[in-house]
Amino acid sequence: MASNLAQWGNKLHSGETTYSIVGNRKRWFMVSAVLMLISIGILVGKGLNLGIDFTGGAQYVVPNVETTSPEPAEEAVAEIAPGQEPRVTTLGENDIRVQLGEITSEQQQELTTALADAYGVDESTISFDQIGPTWGAAVGQQALQGLVIFLLLVFVVISVYFRAWRMAAAAIIALIHDLLFTVGIYALSGFEVTPASVIGFLTILGYSLYDTVVVFDKVNENTRHFDSQVRYTYAELANLAVNQTLVRSINTSVVALLPVSSILFIGSYLLGAGTLKDIALALFIGMAVGTYSSIFVATPLEVALRAREPKIAAHTKKVLELRESGETEVARTEDGSVRVGALKPGEHKGQGAQPKRKRK
């Protein structure tokens, strides 16, 4: 099995095996557009379940309860603070968290007593926190500012490093694609958005960016002198770069997703560590979609943005004209896509190459 994977990776790197990822970019763009529309629809229709760190409100943590049923807490809140809609969640195996809107100091003490009686615990063990709406709004604003600053810095750094603003634009769009999809899934799940969630969102942006930059570095290496030859177009050389880094992207993603999936499915659901769900879901979805975008969105989009540059357009036209006239030949895969770098001296039609026509 490992030997077969190694052989597959070697064939991808040499160009012997090639998948037309860039050539089918319209298909991937359509898939991404549908995913983005679904995510936007979920966000507009359902919205995010913002925690009190962003909306403000009161929070109780009742430890060592005999039952984690939310009904005793809901009844206590309905009696002391009618009109409030509490959110009761389980923390670990026998702790519960009760969140609701702002309450008065009298209601705070009465509700503490009511929760202690409802769950049969000592009143002094119940912890209470209250966050004002102004502080919560400031947290949300600072998180948004941090995201904008991060994206601007990414754009500047990539533009300077690769000397190509279109690569930076493609990377930013891929990051927004990952973030929007992850937030949409987060809204669909109904998980509460906490500061841990925001940390998870920023973490996946860094992970996705790392994967995209690795692919772009290979694209830059393959296309640095693309106009010094007339066998392959810029898009075909970029497609080779995606294929050459495909195994690395998959391996990195699998290695990263294994521990995150352990946190999400084993830690959160089997062991009941509810506080881990916020960041684990964001990391799991974000890493998976980040791998997809680095392969199927970032480089195809970069090629699409650069396709109309006069230098690249003229070179592509020249390569295709020479190929059609028979003055150049290329090896092709079964689906008809070009195998960059696979053609060997003396390779002819029977091996997948187009024969040269004799000039008159």
Side-chain angles (χ1 to χ4, degrees):
M1 182 67 177
S3 176
N4 291 336
L5 288 175
Q7 290 179 3
W8 179 59
N10 291 334
K11 289 180 178 179
L12 284 173
H13 194 272
S14 66
E16 185 178 350
T17 297
T18 303
Y19 300 104
S20 184
I21 296 173
V22 173
N24 292 316
R25 55 184 176 271
K26 292 183 179 179
R27 179 185 303 173
W28 313 128
F29 293 163
M30 187 173 296
V31 171
S32 295
V34 170
L35 293 177
M36 294 304 95
L37 289 175
I38 293 174
S39 299
I40 292 172
I42 293 172
L43 287 171
V44 173
K46 190 172 182 179
L48 289 169
N49 180 21
L50 297 176
I52 64 170
D53 296 283
F54 298 98
T55 61
Q59 174 177 286
Y60 291 88
V61 176
V62 185
N64 301 319
V65 296
E66 297 178 356
T67 174
T68 57
S69 171
E71 294 181 1
E74 293 171 351
E75 292 174 359
V77 172
E79 181 181 350
I80 305 300
Q84 293 276 4
E85 296 183 2
R87 288 177 292 181
V88 184
T89 54
T90 302
L91 304 178
E93 295 182 357
N94 54 359
D95 294 354
I96 65 165
R97 180 178 62 191
V98 182
Q99 294 178 325
L100 59 158
E102 287 191 274
I103 57 177
T104 64
S105 56
E106 292 80 6
Q107 288 176 323
Q108 170 196 338
Q109 184 57 47
E110 292 177 5
L111 191 52
T112 301
T113 303
L115 288 172
D117 294 339
Y119 285 99
V121 299
D122 193 304
E123 188 174 326
S124 62
T125 62
I126 299 177
S127 62
F128 171 80
D129 291 304
Q130 181 154 310
I131 298 174
T134 303
W135 189 88
V139 171
Q141 185 178 4
Q142 289 173 0
L144 185 60
Q145 289 176 350
L147 176 62
V148 173
I149 293 173
F150 173 81
L151 293 177
L152 288 175
L153 289 175
V154 167
F155 185 87
V156 172
V157 170
I158 294 181
S159 297
V160 172
Y161 181 75
F162 291 111
R163 300 179 182 177
W165 67 266
R166 288 176 177 82
M167 274 192 172
I172 293 296
I173 293 173
L175 288 178
I176 295 174
H177 165 278
D178 300 342
L179 182 63
L180 186 57
F181 182 77
T182 304
V183 172
I185 296 297
Y186 214 86
L188 180 64
S189 69
F191 279 24
E192 185 180 50
V193 178
T194 65
S197 307
V198 176
I199 293 172
F201 295 149
L202 294 177
T203 302
I204 63 171
L205 291 181
Y207 176 87
S208 177
L209 178 64
Y210 165 75
D211 214 17
T212 299
V213 168
V214 169
V215 179
F216 277 179
D217 194 53
K218 194 63 180 177
V219 171
N220 190 50
E221 178 185 332
N222 287 359
T223 61
R224 187 173 293 127
H225 305 293
F226 73 93
D227 55 341
S228 64
Q229 51 80 45
V230 290
R231 288 184 66 184
Y232 306 115
T233 65
Y234 180 91
E236 290 164 354
L237 294 172
N239 187 71
L240 174 63
V242 178
N243 280 268
Q244 288 175 323
T245 55
L246 185 60
V247 173
R248 191 215 65 87
S249 297
I250 294 174
N251 289 341
T252 303
S253 301
V254 171
V255 170
L257 285 173
L258 283 176
V260 174
S261 60
S262 298
I263 295 174
L264 179 61
F265 299 108
I266 298 177
S268 301
Y269 292 103
L270 297 183
L271 301 181
T275 53
L276 298 175
K277 292 191 297 184
D278 303 337
I279 190 171
L281 179 65
L283 289 175
F284 185 83
I285 301 298
M287 286 181 176
V289 74
T291 302
Y292 166 82
S293 70
S294 66
I295 297 172
F296 298 102
V297 177
T299 301
L301 183 58
E302 188 267 344
V303 171
L305 291 174
R306 300 198 65 182
R308 295 186 179 181
E309 288 185 17
K311 185 177 181 180
I312 293 178
H315 179 264
T316 300
K317 182 179 179 181
K318 181 178 180 180
V319 171
L320 296 180
E321 287 177 348
L322 291 173
R323 192 177 295 172
E324 186 175 353
S325 67
E327 294 188 40
T328 60
E329 57 183 9
V330 293
R332 294 183 179 275
T333 60
E334 294 181 358
D335 64 357
S337 59
V338 174
R339 284 200 326 228
V340 180
L343 188 64
K344 300 176 181 178
E347 197 173 24
H348 296 297
K349 185 176 181 180
Q351 297 167 292
Q354 293 180 349
K356 295 182 179 180
R357 297 178 184 174
K358 294 181 179 180
R359 296 184 182 180
K360 295 181 180 180

